[in-house]
Amino acid sequence: MAPQKLQIACAGLGRMGKRHALHFLNRTPRAQLVAASTPDESEIQWAKQNLEPWGVRIYTSYEEMIKQEGLQAVVIASVTTVHAEQAIKAIEANLHVLCEKPLSTSVEISQSVVDAASKKPSLKVMCGFSRRFDTSYRDAFTKMDNGLIGRPSIFRSQTCDKLDPSGFFVAYAEFSGGIFVDCSIHDIDLALWFFGQDSRVKSVVSSGITAVQPELRKHKDVDNAVGIVEFWGGQIAYLFCSRMMAAGQDDATEIIGTDGKLQVNAQPMSNLVNIYEAGGVKREIPGDYYGRFEQAFVTEANEFTACCLDNTKLPMKLSGAVQAVKIGCALQESLNSGKKINFDETGRRLELAVL
């Protein structure tokens, strides 16, 4: 008797959706991609060529897709503005959900996904924070958790994209929630992971500039920003996000403890090849986020599948995705207002009196 395979569908076939679809089709042995949906004609044509020949049914309607007989799960990689809506519809249809980050650009809407999932505890609902599945980050977390660096106190992390002159991020900024919600959300999630998933934010403050894409200003966004997040446990996270790196993707993290520190990807590299030229020695680095974290996405797909089939615990709390959006939104607000935002120990926002 053949082992059971998770019958899964993919919603959205943009850049990230294509990758998820191919991961579940070709690189997740315990899953079977059976359907995909997109309203975009060019993406439909891609699906007809790359998915349909392998038995994947293509839909233009997400609502019709999730009605497909035998479907057990859905991976949501649509535009951010419909993440929560599609996740809730899948939950109501009794489907497991792997949703691309963030759940929403709104704290309240993100919480609505958590509320819907709480009513169906048998379902596995996870927000895909890919770095948690990266072997280097997992190794760093294990070392920290084993006490190697003492008590983690300072967290410094960055997400720096290679400059894309096409204008993609300018157009995307209208829907993304801003650079902190879209770009730094990974670093925020890492801070919550390393400091403790239930860490409570005390204050946030941020600042930013438009160095190369001034058109972002019309969306109240920037292409470079820094943020400082203070937690009630006595820790601080320093975040840097950028969309103008010249060499390629430059994502790095440093966890500083009372007895030492850990660094992840401090010197980014595509492989172990050094290039010796007349002008010196160089090494190439990944050109984009996927180039750095491809295997993490594959691991994510396989572990999510295993949790669904084996009814095991997910590697992260869904509520953490709401906390990450809460911090990201507060940083984005601080960026535009120029003000520090404070929270009490229960997580309620404090409005300081003006003297």
Side-chain angles (χ1 to χ4, degrees):
M1 182 177 178
Q4 180 189 7
K5 288 194 173 187
L6 182 72
Q7 306 295 292
I8 192 166
C10 182
L13 293 172
R15 182 161 46 183
M16 200 63 245
K18 290 182 176 73
R19 293 165 179 166
H20 278 298
L22 293 176
H23 292 166
F24 281 103
L25 181 67
N26 300 317
R27 303 172 73 177
T28 312
R30 299 185 68 191
Q32 182 177 2
L33 185 71
V34 296
S37 70
T38 174
D40 184 273
E41 182 58 35
S42 64
E43 293 174 8
I44 290 172
Q45 293 307 312
W46 178 88
K48 287 182 179 294
Q49 181 178 349
N50 294 279
L51 303 179
E52 199 170 54
W54 284 267
V56 180
R57 188 171 177 181
I58 311 303
Y59 294 84
T60 57
S61 166
Y62 173 79
E63 289 74 17
E64 288 301 313
M65 182 186 72
I66 61 175
K67 294 177 184 176
Q68 179 165 316
E69 185 177 357
L71 188 64
Q72 297 171 287
V74 61
V75 53
I76 297 172
S78 309
V79 293
T80 302
T81 50
V82 299
H83 280 183
E85 175 189 344
Q86 291 188 340
I88 291 172
K89 286 180 178 179
I91 293 166
E92 291 174 345
N94 293 311
L95 299 174
H96 303 294
V97 177
L98 170 56
C99 183
E100 258 301 319
K101 62 79 190 168
L103 291 177
S104 167
T105 58
S106 156
V107 176
E108 292 75 20
I109 296 175
S110 298
Q111 183 60 46
S112 70
V113 179
V114 177
D115 294 341
S118 68
K119 297 174 183 177
K120 300 285 185 76
S122 63
L123 296 177
K124 306 299 179 183
V125 183
M126 186 174 85
C127 187
F129 287 108
S130 52
R131 292 188 204 180
R132 292 201 185 211
F133 298 89
D134 178 71
T135 54
S136 295
Y137 277 103
R138 285 185 164 182
D139 183 47
F141 179 84
T142 298
K143 285 179 167 58
M144 180 209 71
D145 201 42
N146 288 336
L148 183 65
I149 61 170
R151 183 172 60 85
S153 304
I154 307 294
F155 179 87
R156 185 163 57 192
S157 194
Q158 67 182 48
T159 296
C160 298
D161 297 335
K162 185 175 182 178
L163 176 64
D164 180 356
S166 71
F168 169 79
F169 284 116
V170 175
Y172 186 54
E174 183 178 357
F175 314 102
S176 71
I179 195 168
F180 282 109
V181 176
D182 177 56
C183 193
S184 284
I185 200 80
H186 285 291
D187 306 286
I188 295 168
D189 177 67
L190 286 174
L192 292 171
W193 185 27
F194 279 88
F195 284 160
Q197 191 63 68
D198 297 318
S199 296
R200 294 160 297 159
V201 61
K202 183 177 182 181
S203 71
V204 304
V205 66
S206 64
S207 185
I209 57 170
T210 50
V212 293
Q213 294 175 318
E215 302 92 342
L216 284 166
R217 293 174 187 152
K218 65 184 178 183
H219 300 304
K220 295 184 178 181
D221 206 4
V222 297
D223 50 30
N224 287 268
V226 294
I228 297 175
V229 183
E230 183 183 11
F231 293 92
W232 277 102
Q235 304 109 333
I236 288 181
Y238 168 89
L239 313 173
F240 170 46
C241 43
S242 175
R243 287 193 163 127
M244 68 170 202
M245 291 296 106
Q249 193 73 23
D250 188 2
D251 301 336
T253 300
E254 188 173 51
I255 308 99
I256 304 168
T258 52
D259 295 329
K261 72 177 180 180
L262 296 163
Q263 288 182 324
V264 180
N265 207 43
Q267 296 180 319
M269 60 184 75
S270 290
N271 51 40
L272 299 179
V273 176
N274 288 328
I275 303 167
Y276 290 74
E277 298 175 312
V281 183
K282 72 176 184 181
R283 61 174 174 270
E284 296 174 335
I285 71 174
D288 56 24
Y289 187 85
Y290 185 70
R292 167 63 181 87
F293 292 104
E294 177 181 356
Q295 189 54 50
F297 282 109
V298 175
T299 301
E300 176 186 73
N302 280 272
E303 292 192 7
F304 173 75
T305 297
C307 287
C308 294
L309 292 176
D310 302 335
N311 192 28
T312 52
K313 187 177 179 181
L314 289 167
M316 64 191 81
K317 292 181 179 180
L318 187 62
S319 58
V322 180
Q323 177 78 326
V325 171
K326 178 181 180 179
I327 294 172
C329 287
L331 284 165
Q332 197 71 25
E333 181 181 342
S334 175
L335 173 71
N336 288 304
S337 70
K339 298 178 181 178
K340 186 176 184 179
I341 298 173
N342 299 277
F343 301 86
D344 67 18
E345 292 189 64
T346 68
R348 185 174 61 87
R349 182 167 167 166
L350 294 174
E351 299 295 344
L352 298 182
V354 179
L355 300 179

